[in-house]
Amino acid sequence: MKLVSYLREESDQLAILVEGQLYNTQELHPDLPNNMGMFLMMWEDVIDIAIKADADLKAGKHPGSAKGISVESVQLLSPVPFPTSCRDGYAFRQHVAAARRNRKVDMIPEFDQYPIFYFTNHNAIQGPGDIHCMPDHFDKLDFELEAAIVICKAGRNITAAEADDYIGGFMIMNDMSARTLQMEEMKLNLGPAKGKDFSTVVGPMLVTPDELESFLIPAKPGHTGNNYNLKMTCKVNGIQVSEGNMGDMDWTFAEIVERCAYGVNILPGDIIGSGTVGTGCFLELNGTGKLNDPNYTEQWLQPGDVVEMEIDGLGTLTNTIVQEDTDFSILALKKNV
């Protein structure tokens, strides 16, 4: 099942997507909530009803009073417009190893010992469309090609063996990054925070695990949880710059959820990202390019750039970089010492 949130009369409307048509949930069945927040809160009570409605739609039946609306005719929001939190993991060894190699430091052994994550600004979650950036963001503005999950039921101290049952669905994630802000703050051994708090993009839809069963592959040796053979790409202005595969995750989402939930309540609506796939950002690509050729010309995102991310089965997430009409700079506020 593919779930979409879109703007309807100044509010977020939940719909099921079938063959390019959106069907409002509350019109499919009176017990289905009309927004993603309530749908996730009521997940165990409503998921079977929604799956039945989805199956009917795919069979050419139109349950309830639902009428299709072209997905091209609406403004898509984040599939989860108001997440309860947003964490981002660090699951792809290839990306971590390449980034460290490019900095001429050894691979950190702790990567293979336990999965890690950081919290980012869940109020800056957005869906397809414009990404508004301040002047300082354009000082090495970057994308990060990732996948993400949303939690569909509350839990605590969840083991990896049971964690896949807490995953409501999968989305594309673009963890936007202002690298100069990020690198400056991390010198103080905190962050990333200000370099990443302005926009995290997810979408264009939430795809439930049953849609992806044909893509299931074994987890890496010594790891636990579902893994999926899903090609991942990113294009900037129509030119492909990144390619990877969700199946290359060394730490599974189940293992990341296990760590997230240790001694902590995870809640319906929590978003958790995978971390960057190998080759999945300009920071890594530029570092590799300069390592191989000192004259390599770095590339960073610019005003007007169009970023398109695609993951097999999860759709295409498209955003345009927009420059705010201001010259206000927090980098300029730095004290001289």
Side-chain angles (χ1 to χ4, degrees):
M1 182 169 57
K2 298 178 175 69
L3 294 167
V4 168
S5 295
Y6 72 93
L7 188 64
R8 183 190 186 200
E9 298 176 354
E10 304 305 314
S11 185
D12 56 306
Q13 170 66 55
L14 180 62
I16 294 176
L17 174 65
V18 176
E19 294 183 355
Q21 297 290 303
L22 297 173
Y23 298 88
N24 295 333
T25 46
Q26 75 275 16
E27 295 168 6
L28 290 168
H29 194 285
D31 291 340
L32 290 178
N34 67 353
N35 65 77
M36 181 63 86
M38 287 301 299
F39 190 91
L40 291 168
M41 289 293 294
M42 300 171 62
W43 184 269
E44 292 183 289
D45 295 326
V46 300
I47 185 61
D48 288 341
I49 299 173
I51 288 175
K52 172 64 164 58
D54 180 62
D56 285 345
L57 290 168
K58 289 172 178 173
K61 305 173 186 176
H62 287 70
S65 59
K67 296 181 180 179
I69 305 164
S70 171
V71 69
E72 303 293 337
S73 68
V74 302
Q75 179 183 337
L76 294 183
L77 305 173
S78 158
V80 187
F82 304 103
T84 42
S85 71
C86 186
R87 301 169 174 89
D88 200 12
Y90 210 36
F92 291 93
R93 194 181 200 278
Q94 178 187 344
H95 170 67
V96 179
R100 294 185 69 83
R101 177 203 66 211
N102 293 345
R103 300 201 306 271
K104 299 182 180 179
V105 295
D106 293 335
M107 180 59 184
I108 188 166
E110 284 80 4
F111 176 86
D112 297 305
Q113 296 173 1
Y114 49 88
I116 64 169
F117 65 90
Y118 74 94
F119 279 97
T120 191
N121 183 5
H122 64 287
N123 291 316
I125 292 287
Q126 66 170 93
D130 292 346
I131 300 173
H132 293 270
C133 300
M134 293 290 284
D136 291 342
H137 295 144
F138 285 103
D139 197 336
K140 300 183 178 180
L141 180 64
D142 208 352
F143 67 91
E144 290 191 1
L145 173 59
E146 309 188 18
I149 59 168
V150 65
I151 298 300
C152 63
K153 59 181 180 178
R156 184 183 180 95
N157 295 328
I158 301 160
T159 66
E162 59 186 345
D164 282 312
D165 292 339
Y166 290 77
I167 296 174
F170 297 83
M171 307 173 285
I172 303 170
M173 175 185 276
N174 178 3
D175 179 28
M176 292 292 297
S177 302
R179 298 301 188 187
T180 294
L181 285 172
Q182 177 188 352
M183 297 310 173
E184 290 219 332
E185 66 190 356
M186 291 183 74
K187 290 177 183 177
L188 292 164
N189 295 322
L190 283 180
K194 201 66 214 159
K196 294 200 174 245
D197 71 349
F198 59 102
S199 173
T200 302
V201 193
V202 294
M205 55 193 172
L206 180 72
V207 179
T208 54
D210 57 288
E211 289 264 344
L212 304 176
E213 287 181 356
S214 63
F215 298 98
L216 277 169
I217 57 175
K220 295 287 184 72
H223 290 271
T224 300
N226 289 341
N227 196 18
Y228 298 89
N229 176 24
L230 301 176
K231 182 180 177 181
M232 307 170 67
T233 61
C234 179
K235 295 178 181 177
V236 177
N237 300 327
I239 299 172
Q240 183 171 306
V241 294
S242 298
E243 181 176 334
N245 195 294
M246 198 166 144
D248 291 331
M249 289 177 69
D250 292 271
W251 293 103
T252 66
F253 274 118
E255 291 168 326
I256 298 171
V257 169
E258 178 183 65
R259 187 169 180 89
C260 292
Y262 181 77
V264 174
N265 297 325
I266 61 169
L267 301 172
D270 287 356
I271 291 175
I272 303 173
S274 64
T276 310
V277 70
T279 77
C281 65
F282 280 140
L283 181 67
E284 179 189 333
L285 294 167
N286 289 336
T288 301
K290 292 180 81 70
L291 190 68
N292 296 326
D293 177 7
N295 297 317
Y296 180 87
T297 301
E298 293 186 355
Q299 182 176 358
W300 301 102
L301 293 175
Q302 305 296 328
D305 281 354
V306 176
V307 181
E308 296 174 277
M309 294 185 170
E310 183 174 359
I311 300 181
D312 287 348
L314 304 185
T316 302
L317 178 61
T318 304
N319 296 94
T320 301
I321 307 300
V322 175
Q323 185 169 11
E324 295 273 13
D325 185 17
T326 179
D327 59 2
F328 178 46
S329 167
I330 58 169
L331 287 172
L333 299 177
K334 287 194 303 181
K335 306 297 184 184
N336 292 321
V337 292

